[in-house]
Amino acid sequence: MTEETGTAHSLTPVLRVLRCCLHLMVAALLALAAVRALAGHAPDAPAVTATAVALCAVYALGPRLPRLRGSTGAAALWLAAVALLWLVLLALTQDGVWLAFPLFFVQLHLLPLRAALPAVAATTVAAVAGFARHTHTLSVGTVLGPALGAAVAVAVVLGYEALYRESEQRRRLIEELTAARSELAAAEHAAGVLAERERLAREIHDTLAQGLSSIQLLLRAAERALPQWPDTALGHVRQARTAAVGNLAEARRFVRALSPPDLAAGSLPAALERLCATTARTSPLAVHCQVSGVPTALPTTHEVALLRIAQSALANTVRHAGAGRAELTLSYMGTEVALDVVDDGAGFVPDEVPAPGSAAAADGTGFGLAAMRARARALQGTLVVESAPGEGTAVAVTLPTPAAAPDATPEAAP
């Protein structure tokens, strides 16, 4: 047993109890030897008593020495003093042989195993020789008694060591699992926070930001129309007011995680028709909407994603493309549903769009395409943007159609 192991063991409740029992055993055996010598009126009774008292004092001093556990040399010196007094006691009385058993445990506890085993063997030999000297016989029982006691002590200590090492391994494993679980929980929490932030950012971009942009364009148009064309300006203000009311409803609904108002009031094709009509009414862009294939029931998540992508694509067309016409096509293709938004605007280079949050996108640009891609990717779909300067832009998103959509009901196309 190493010193470090012994120090660690001294902190366990089980070892505290064993140590107390060991100390009580030593005290009881020393008292027994002294009492038997005095009661038997042996001529060497005073010497036995004095040796027992001295041995008890030296033994009791050991646990109070702070260096005893931190130094193998100090432990060896203390054990040598104890062993020397024990040998004197063993030479005086055969009752000293019983102290060999607790000495085995003390040696195994304080010394490294490579030194403890020879010490136990020497103590066993001394016990056998002392008992044989007093009884003037050397029988099998005389040898087996101390030998079995030594074997039991070694087996107990080694068994306890094995159990302790296993319990330590389990404790470390439990600590590692607890730490890993805490780290996983923290990572999941952080991922959840980021996902929620991304969801809110997409919703704000596709609803409030686009609505505010539309309101801003309408108010600028109203400002330009004043004072020459007050009726035209009034129409723009009313449209801006309608857009503000609609965006307020959108804000309330996505905060409460509800479906968009356009979807709550009808099917996806009808919602896209209304979006195209509203865009054409509030901007100089002519928008045409068509549906191909047989409309099928889609989960709400799919309908929301397609509607938001259409809103973002048309808003980008109005704000950046300078287009005169846009075509929106919703296609039901059995196992897939596709949405295409094509305009005849100025176009751009898709690979040169700055990433959201970068220095090149300090004005907030670049988030629309990233949000559309994120929505498609979240539903195992794809989004492709084809554009070139002067050649317009085409945005195509394709989503797989689930076999069953329990949260959607079939509705006819408008």
Side-chain angles (χ1 to χ4, degrees):
M1 181 188 303
T2 63
E3 305 156 13
E4 293 79 11
T5 305
T7 303
H9 281 196
S10 64
L11 302 177
T12 62
V14 173
L15 191 63
R16 290 194 188 99
V17 174
L18 292 177
R19 287 177 60 192
C20 290
C21 293
L22 185 66
H23 299 334
L24 291 175
M25 181 186 299
V26 171
L29 291 176
L30 288 173
L32 177 63
V35 169
R36 282 171 58 88
L38 292 173
H41 302 288
D44 54 358
V48 171
T49 303
T51 304
V53 171
L55 179 55
C56 185
V58 173
Y59 183 87
L61 182 64
R64 291 169 174 76
L65 295 176
R67 294 188 56 192
L68 198 63
R69 295 194 172 279
S71 171
T72 303
L77 288 175
W78 178 77
L79 282 173
V82 171
L84 181 60
L85 290 173
W86 172 69
L87 289 175
V88 173
L89 182 65
L90 182 62
L92 295 174
T93 174
Q94 66 180 13
D95 291 332
V97 72
W98 305 113
L99 285 166
F101 189 70
L103 281 179
F104 295 151
F105 286 99
V106 175
Q107 292 164 347
L108 290 167
H109 180 65
L110 291 179
L111 296 177
L113 190 61
R114 62 179 180 273
L117 292 179
V120 169
T123 303
T124 305
V125 172
V128 171
F131 191 75
R133 174 179 173 274
H134 286 288
T135 59
H136 305 289
T137 58
L138 184 62
S139 62
V140 175
T142 303
V143 176
L144 284 182
L148 287 177
V152 169
V154 171
V156 168
V157 171
L158 293 181
Y160 180 79
E161 285 294 321
L163 290 175
Y164 180 80
R165 284 193 296 270
E166 183 178 353
S167 66
E168 280 296 293
Q169 291 175 356
R170 291 183 178 179
R171 181 185 62 80
R172 285 193 294 268
L173 179 60
I174 291 173
E175 290 178 352
E176 292 173 0
L177 291 176
T178 303
R181 185 172 61 181
S182 300
E183 293 175 0
L184 179 61
E188 290 178 348
H189 175 73
V193 170
L194 291 177
E196 183 63 14
R197 286 179 179 175
E198 184 179 352
R199 182 189 76 84
L200 291 176
R202 288 199 303 264
E203 295 294 339
I204 291 173
H205 177 272
D206 295 341
T207 56
L208 299 183
Q210 306 295 1
L212 291 174
S213 177
S214 177
I215 293 171
Q216 182 184 30
L217 292 175
L218 289 170
L219 292 179
R220 284 181 179 177
E223 184 180 14
R224 289 193 298 268
L226 289 174
Q228 288 88 351
W229 301 283
D231 292 339
T232 302
L234 180 60
H236 290 321
V237 171
R238 285 174 177 170
Q239 290 177 356
R241 179 183 176 186
T242 301
V245 171
N247 276 270
L248 179 61
E250 287 277 11
R252 288 171 176 169
R253 284 181 172 269
F254 83 69
V255 166
R256 291 179 292 174
L258 299 177
S259 300
D262 289 337
L263 289 177
S267 63
L268 176 61
L272 294 176
E273 287 279 6
R274 287 191 293 272
L275 172 63
C276 292
T278 301
T279 303
R281 187 172 61 252
T282 58
S283 69
L285 183 66
V287 187
H288 178 256
C289 179
Q290 63 178 350
V291 178
S292 66
V294 179
T296 58
L298 295 175
T300 301
T301 53
H302 285 57
E303 293 187 342
V304 171
L306 292 172
L307 178 60
R308 295 304 191 205
I309 291 174
Q311 288 174 327
S312 184
L314 289 177
N316 287 342
T317 300
V318 172
R319 292 178 60 188
H320 307 297
R325 182 177 179 81
E327 294 283 342
L328 187 150
T329 305
L330 177 65
S331 304
Y332 291 92
M333 301 178 295
T335 60
E336 293 180 332
V337 60
L339 176 70
D340 299 281
V341 181
V342 183
D343 66 61
D344 59 357
F348 64 99
V349 180
D351 294 338
E352 295 181 358
V353 176
S358 63
D363 58 350
T365 60
F367 188 81
L369 287 177
M372 286 189 281
R373 288 193 177 95
R375 288 186 185 277
R377 186 167 56 250
L379 297 175
Q380 289 76 48
T382 58
L383 185 136
V384 178
V385 179
E386 297 181 355
S387 183
E391 298 183 8
T393 302
V395 177
V397 58
T398 304
L399 301 179
T401 303
D407 56 345
T409 55
E411 296 186 47

